[in-house]
Amino acid sequence: MSTAVQERGRGKRVRLDKPELLAPAGNLEKLKFAIHYGADAVYIGGQKYGLRSNADNFSKEEMREGVEFAKQYGAKVFVATNIYAHNEDIDGLEDYLRGLQEVGISAIIAADPIIMETCRRVAPELEVHVSTQQSVMNWQTVQFWKEQGIERVVLAREVSMQEIDEIKAHVDVEIEAFIHGAMCSSYSGRCVLSNHFTDRDSNRGGCSQSCRWKYDLFTKDQPEGAPLATDFPMFAEDDDAFTMGSKDLSMIDHIADMIESGVDSFKIEGRMKSIHYVATVVNAYRQAIDAYFEDPDHFVLNPVWREEIYKAANRPVNDGFFYEAPGHEDHIFEPEDKVVGFDFVGLVMEYDEATGMALIQQRNHFKSGQEIEFFGPNGTHFKQVVGRIEDESGQELTAARHPLQLIRLQTEMPVKKWDMMRKKTGK
């Protein structure tokens, strides 16, 4: 069912139900972290038909395990089948979709009408969600998809807040919108740069992110005094290289507007992002959404949520197309302003309340004397300096060097299983 809302002063909507928080899951481990850190649903890719062919996509058995894990938390699993299919892609489609239904997937995210139609015919228990690849930007197109029996429409990233208001006013169908993650320099991912430059089809899962590359620029206009040549460089050899990548989207500062817009599902981009990124971003939006519903009339953004987002940021951020069309300042044409990043260095496996000792699974190198930070979905959030490190037998170590090594250390405050331990990048 679409969002239940009531109108109040000057058109502001009061939500009667929480929006779904939808997180990316590039592999089974990321799926579990996303759900444990607060996602109501996750979207994954299978071995075929998705637009992230370089991600650690799911086998059928991994999907089954992911669905069973999600059920424990009351969460759902969606599968991206959002390629634009060529003739050779159709073979095996029916069996693939039946397999998704059999393992308990809740919905597919599709762009190609033949994939949608085939799913409704051979796997009717699966919901069909129209992918952002369809570039839906107006209420009449949303109405069209509703009339085709589609349960949810994922809006194009180019839709404004005003356009969302108009869509919600005209059509009663579930709406999903991106609230965080990478933006595309083309219309909602409809790009052929990758095809031309690398022979990798961006609309069949092979995008090489050509817009993020660094380029030299040339002109055919001969500068005065330049030697005769076909093309002339526009910049000096030591100038910054040109790129055309856009800044990332982040709506954490406008979460109240997003909630009051009536959007049913808030989507975070990033199936190829790290576990630390997924857990951090999901946890920040989870806290913000929950805090809003505790007291909508007095909601105030906690700056800690924004700080958490920045700890996982890869690029500078903006608010996309929601309020006004981005300008040149919303693109990255030169070396980026680096946000101080953090590395995921350990995962809490056990905690002994009597001794204050935590069993930590090492994920990146750390050593005694370094400042680290613990955070988790149940309120854990503190910094401390690493003291004595022991292996499982109690032998003292100067550092945790070995991947997935189990070590013990004293924590200054209680921690819980699944809490994460991080340090500043490069420290």
Side-chain angles (χ1 to χ4, degrees):
M1 294 295 293
S2 191
T3 306
V5 298
Q6 290 179 340
E7 300 291 336
R8 75 178 180 198
R10 298 171 65 182
K12 186 176 182 180
R13 289 185 174 91
V14 180
R15 290 290 291 265
L16 304 180
D17 60 339
K18 288 185 182 181
E20 172 187 270
L21 182 58
L22 176 58
N27 58 33
L28 186 57
E29 185 177 37
K30 292 176 186 177
L31 177 150
K32 293 179 179 180
F33 272 89
I35 292 173
H36 191 77
Y37 274 71
D40 301 303
V42 294
Y43 61 102
I44 67 174
Q47 301 295 321
K48 301 173 69 176
Y49 305 110
L51 286 184
R52 289 292 181 269
S53 59
N54 291 329
D56 296 330
N57 290 316
F58 284 63
S59 67
K60 187 174 180 179
E61 288 310 309
E62 287 173 328
M63 287 186 188
R64 192 187 306 275
E65 183 177 343
V67 168
E68 290 304 313
F69 181 87
K71 284 180 179 178
Q72 298 175 33
Y73 289 79
K76 297 179 180 180
V77 180
F78 308 150
V79 173
T81 57
N82 52 347
I83 67 166
Y84 283 107
H86 289 236
N87 291 328
E88 63 266 27
D89 296 319
I90 302 302
D91 289 343
L93 176 61
E94 292 187 3
D95 288 341
Y96 181 77
L97 294 171
R98 290 190 187 100
L100 298 185
Q101 179 175 271
E102 189 268 325
V103 300
I105 297 299
S106 295
I108 65 165
I109 306 167
D112 195 313
I114 192 58
I115 294 178
M116 302 179 198
E117 189 276 333
T118 303
C119 183
R120 296 179 64 80
R121 176 168 50 83
V122 305
E125 294 176 19
L126 290 174
E127 287 189 3
V128 177
H129 299 173
V130 175
S131 170
T132 191
Q133 297 298 112
Q134 272 289 342
S135 301
V136 176
M137 289 178 285
N138 65 80
W139 71 263
Q140 293 185 12
T141 302
V142 175
Q143 180 67 33
F144 167 84
W145 286 116
K146 179 185 177 181
E147 291 171 359
Q148 308 312 305
I150 298 299
E151 288 85 358
R152 178 184 294 186
V153 176
V154 187
L155 298 178
R157 289 173 170 87
E158 296 79 23
V159 172
S160 70
M161 198 69 75
Q162 180 180 349
E163 289 168 327
I164 290 174
D165 286 342
E166 293 174 5
I167 289 168
K168 294 299 295 186
H170 284 90
V171 189
D172 181 23
V173 70
E174 286 190 2
I175 293 297
E176 180 177 306
F178 283 90
I179 61 165
H180 196 90
M183 297 287 282
C184 188
S185 295
S186 298
Y187 249 117
S188 289
R190 294 187 176 197
C191 176
V192 294
L193 282 178
S194 180
N195 303 57
H196 286 299
F197 291 166
T198 67
D199 198 27
R200 287 168 52 180
D201 192 339
S202 56
N203 290 305
R204 286 199 287 176
C207 179
S208 60
Q209 296 201 351
S210 306
C211 58
R212 303 287 183 189
W213 296 357
K214 296 183 183 301
Y215 295 90
D216 290 324
L217 296 183
F218 297 85
T219 178
K220 292 186 179 297
D221 297 328
Q222 182 177 4
E224 184 177 349
L228 186 64
T230 302
D231 298 305
F232 303 93
M234 295 179 64
F235 302 117
E237 189 172 327
D238 57 351
D239 284 345
D240 294 330
F242 172 85
T243 185
M244 59 187 112
S246 57
K247 293 182 179 179
D248 283 0
L249 172 68
S250 177
M251 290 297 286
I252 192 69
D253 285 320
H254 309 286
I255 197 66
D257 284 355
M258 290 301 305
I259 292 170
E260 291 159 7
S261 74
V263 168
D264 299 271
S265 180
F266 293 172
K267 189 169 194 170
I268 297 168
E269 182 274 338
R271 275 193 284 145
M272 296 182 70
K273 299 288 190 180
S274 68
I275 291 170
H276 174 249
Y277 177 93
V278 172
T280 301
V281 173
V282 168
N283 194 37
Y285 280 101
R286 177 79 278 154
Q287 292 183 69
I289 293 168
D290 291 349
Y292 175 93
F293 279 90
E294 287 176 5
D295 190 355
D297 290 323
H298 301 94
F299 173 78
V300 177
L301 185 83
N302 187 335
V304 170
W305 304 328
R306 185 190 308 116
E307 293 167 9
E308 285 294 292
I309 293 290
Y310 289 155
K311 289 177 182 177
N314 298 105
R315 288 183 282 267
V317 298
N318 64 12
D319 51 26
F321 289 78
F322 283 107
Y323 297 102
E324 58 185 22
H328 70 275
E329 69 279 0
D330 295 300
H331 285 71
I332 302 168
F333 298 118
E334 55 190 20
E336 303 163 22
D337 296 327
K338 294 296 183 183
V339 180
V340 177
F342 282 74
D343 291 327
F344 171 33
V345 296
L347 176 66
V348 176
M349 307 299 291
E350 297 176 3
Y351 177 69
D352 187 333
E353 293 185 5
T355 64
M357 295 290 286
L359 179 68
I360 306 290
Q361 184 186 70
Q362 188 262 26
R363 292 302 182 99
N364 270 300
H365 180 278
F366 66 93
K367 61 185 178 180
S368 297
Q370 285 184 321
E371 183 180 74
I372 50 94
E373 181 177 340
F374 285 97
F375 78 102
N378 298 304
T380 302
H381 200 171
F382 66 93
K383 297 177 182 179
Q384 72 170 69
V385 174
V386 177
R388 177 186 172 94
I389 303 174
E390 300 177 356
D391 64 18
E392 287 189 276
S393 66
Q395 183 73 31
E396 184 173 4
L397 305 171
T398 57
R401 297 183 175 87
H402 307 295
L404 303 182
Q405 179 184 18
L406 292 176
I407 61 94
R408 297 186 189 276
L409 60 83
Q410 190 93 30
T411 63
E412 295 179 1
M413 297 181 67
V415 291
K416 298 180 177 66
K417 185 177 180 180
W418 289 85
D419 284 353
M420 298 175 75
M421 177 177 152
R422 61 190 173 196
K423 69 174 184 179
K424 285 187 177 179
T425 303
K427 297 294 184 179

